[in-house]
Amino acid sequence: MPSKEMLLLSSPASLIRAYPFLVVFFQNQPINLLKNEHLKLLHILKEIEEEGSEDTVFEGGHFVDQLQEYILQMEEFSGISSQRVESLTVMPGKDKSGEAENFDALHFRKSTITSIVGPTGSGKSRLLADIEWVAQADTPTSRTILVNNSKPSSDWRFASGKKLVAQLSQNMNFVMDLTVKEFLELHASSRMVANAAQIIDRIIDAANELAGEKFKADTPITSLSGGQSRALMIADTAMLSSSPVVLIDEIENAGIDRKKALEILTGEEKIVLMATHDPILALMADQRIVIKNGGIHKVIQTSAAEKAMLTQLEESDKKMQKLRTMLRSGEAFETLYL
Amino acid sequence: MNLITISGPPSSGKTAVIIKTAESLKMRGIKIGAVKFDCLATEDDIAYEKAGIPVKKGLSGQLCPDHYFVSNIEAVLDWGLKEEFDLLVSESAGLCNRCSPYIKEIKAVCVIDNLSGINTPKKIGPMLRMADIVVITKGDIVSQAEREVFAARVHAVNPTAIVMHINGLTGQGAYELSTLLYDQDQRVNSLKGKKLRFSMPSALCSYCLGETRIGESYQMGNVRKMNLEEK
């Protein structure tokens, strides 16, 4: 990491050459430091001080501290992909009555799906919060979370660009006024990915495969249908989110191919956790956790019999979908479809 | 007693975050009090009372809320000491983005929401740039991508802060915040001689003193003119 003295003796232009990610940092300063980008920072800061920094809400010493910290964190951040999360492990704690949870160790491996069932208020959110906070027997449940079978670094808690869990829920909306392509470019640039254009194409293709109706790269994200929005969110989270765990809170059974959605996520080596009460989704998972009274009550591996049942359920679901499509296009039902 | 200053734009979810966090602290037997600084009106004191948190409110009226805050915070601290709180939370609304309500050596939290737009972090001054902890709210209603972009912008503006995501409605993340707020060994008995982290917005002109007429001849004191010539 460069020392403060070294930073002060460098010019903004040379710093950006050495650390391209600093463009965003400089752009987000309240004052334009790139006006004389070839002058040494020392001189630029001195000049600002002489002009009177009070009006510009800028303080040179604080700026250099933040600059140094930003470089340190971003360099670590760009090294993350090399240390992949292969698995998460939950070590048992206790439920709301203080009873010990009845399992030895619960593993979530990459490219697998775990469904989570249990009534509202049973403790699903607490389990997810424990994972997000990489609990170390220091939350109300006393659970411990391991990453790759060992005690995780505290970065997972505190580093801004390094969060364990990405979320997808039915209440989520796009709120930015951008086209699909601009939106994905923005996300890619915040992640500093190298091959952005290629990933963006892949995301749009994948999302179009999930949603029934196709959209284009220049479609505004706010004019996407419910199914298209969900499809784009899933493909984007699978391919551009830095978080190794994806938490899904139900996927609606309309306008989107749910099976393919899960395949895309597991194909990108995500650890998928899915809160659902839909039997089809629950059985698509490799295992399911039953939550009761704030604790993990049971862990059920999806059996061969259940998988066979899933095939039947999917058949009848297809019939429902077909009827829905007919209804939409104004056709009359004939009994032969049932 | 611990003192914490919490600040953030209006309606970003400060009160909701504090109340949810206080629930976790109370379960650990920590006694909490709050003071709410606002400008013209607030009903947040009722929300605190409902949650069983003793509260005082201060309305700055026609004065800059920051100046009002710093002129009253000592007396507020004395109130907290008299009431024997373990933790006193001072909540103030940041109304103009130039606010600078943080005190050196006193833990400072900024609450900002995902709906405010990705260019907002850049527009906020010391209130965000000098905070120790930044809490981002309303993450449950925007997409994962927007959450990540917003957090990256906050990080560019304040790389040294701990950034946390909290849902003010369900309280998800509030327990975790509570573990960062209270420090058993910290004792704040007086603020005398302590300094602000950054100077407050300043103004002293005829309009500060109640002038309502428009025109050059009515403008006195600290007046600044826009430059309309420059391209």
Side-chain angles (χ1 to χ4, degrees), chain A residues 25 27-30 54-55 57-59 62 66 69-70 73-74 126 132-133 138-140 158 160 163 166-167 171-176 183 186-187 190 233 236-237 241, chain B residues 98 115 118 122 125-126 129-130 139-149 151-153 155-160 162-165 172 175-176 179-180 198-199 202 224:
Chain A
F25 182 77
Q27 279 169 352
N28 278 284
Q29 292 307 314
E54 205 174 288
D55 296 343
V57 197
F58 183 86
E59 204 256 302
H62 182 249
Q66 301 275 52
E69 183 68 23
Y70 193 76
Q73 290 183 13
M74 292 307 265
R126 187 63 250 166
E132 220 170 356
W133 189 242
D138 57 356
T139 64
F158 299 127
S160 158
K163 296 283 175 206
Q167 293 194 41
N171 302 329
M172 287 174 184
N173 288 294
F174 291 122
V175 293
M176 283 179 195
F183 177 76
L186 186 67
H187 191 194
S190 84
M233 283 183 200
D236 167 78
T237 302
S241 170
Chain B
R98 169 59 183 85
L115 290 180
I118 56 161
K122 181 183 175 173
R129 288 172 193 274
M130 305 225 166
D140 53 325
I141 43 181
V142 302
S143 66
Q144 176 67 26
E146 283 157 302
R147 265 197 305 282
E148 289 183 16
V149 172
R153 294 290 172 97
H155 181 236
V157 162
N158 185 346
T160 48
I162 293 172
V163 177
M164 303 193 66
H165 298 263
Q172 191 165 347
Y175 170 83
E176 287 72 12
T179 63
L180 303 180
F198 200 86
S199 64
S202 60
R224 182 171 321 156

Side-chain angles (χ1 to χ4, degrees), chain A residues 176-180 182 216-225:
Chain A
M176 283 179 195
D177 189 12
L178 295 172
T179 67
V180 170
E182 288 165 344
K216 293 202 189 81
D218 60 1
T219 309
I221 47 172
T222 46
S223 70
L224 297 174
S225 73

Side-chain angles (χ1 to χ4, degrees), chain A residues 76-234:
Chain A
E76 272 177 20
F77 179 63
S78 55
I80 283 179
S81 49
S82 56
Q83 31 173 303
R84 287 200 71 97
V85 175
E86 302 284 330
S87 73
L88 284 185
T89 307
V90 182
M91 302 302 285
K94 52 187 198 305
D95 68 11
K96 277 180 197 158
S97 327
E99 297 282 323
E101 288 176 308
N102 186 25
F103 62 91
D104 298 328
L106 178 56
H107 301 286
F108 305 122
R109 295 190 178 82
K110 69 174 188 191
S111 300
T112 64
I113 305 167
T114 302
S115 60
I116 303 172
V117 298
T120 310
S122 60
K124 282 182 282 188
S125 318
R126 187 63 250 166
L127 172 64
L128 295 162
D130 282 349
I131 294 171
E132 220 170 356
W133 189 242
V134 278
Q136 296 300 306
D138 57 356
T139 64
T141 60
S142 302
R143 289 185 188 121
T144 302
I145 308 293
L146 305 177
V147 176
N148 295 340
N149 285 315
S150 44
K151 188 179 166 7
S153 89
S154 65
D155 284 9
W156 287 113
R157 270 188 192 183
F158 299 127
S160 158
K162 200 176 171 184
K163 296 283 175 206
L164 263 182
V165 183
Q167 293 194 41
L168 286 166
S169 95
Q170 300 196 82
N171 302 329
M172 287 174 184
N173 288 294
F174 291 122
V175 293
M176 283 179 195
D177 189 12
L178 295 172
T179 67
V180 170
K181 185 157 179 256
E182 288 165 344
F183 177 76
L184 294 173
E185 280 168 352
L186 186 67
H187 191 194
S189 73
S190 84
R191 287 284 331 281
M192 302 184 306
V193 292
N195 46 344
Q198 209 184 331
I199 295 180
I200 289 168
D201 286 345
R202 274 183 62 214
I203 292 173
I204 295 175
D205 288 348
N208 271 325
E209 217 184 303
L210 295 183
E213 309 145 283
K214 301 238 180 294
F215 60 86
K216 293 202 189 81
D218 60 1
T219 309
I221 47 172
T222 46
S223 70
L224 297 174
S225 73
Q228 288 171 329
S229 295
R230 206 64 61 224
L232 181 60
M233 283 183 200
I234 291 168

Side-chain angles (χ1 to χ4, degrees), chain B residues 5-16:
Chain B
T5 53
I6 298 194
S7 200
S11 302
S12 57
K14 296 179 289 299
T15 307

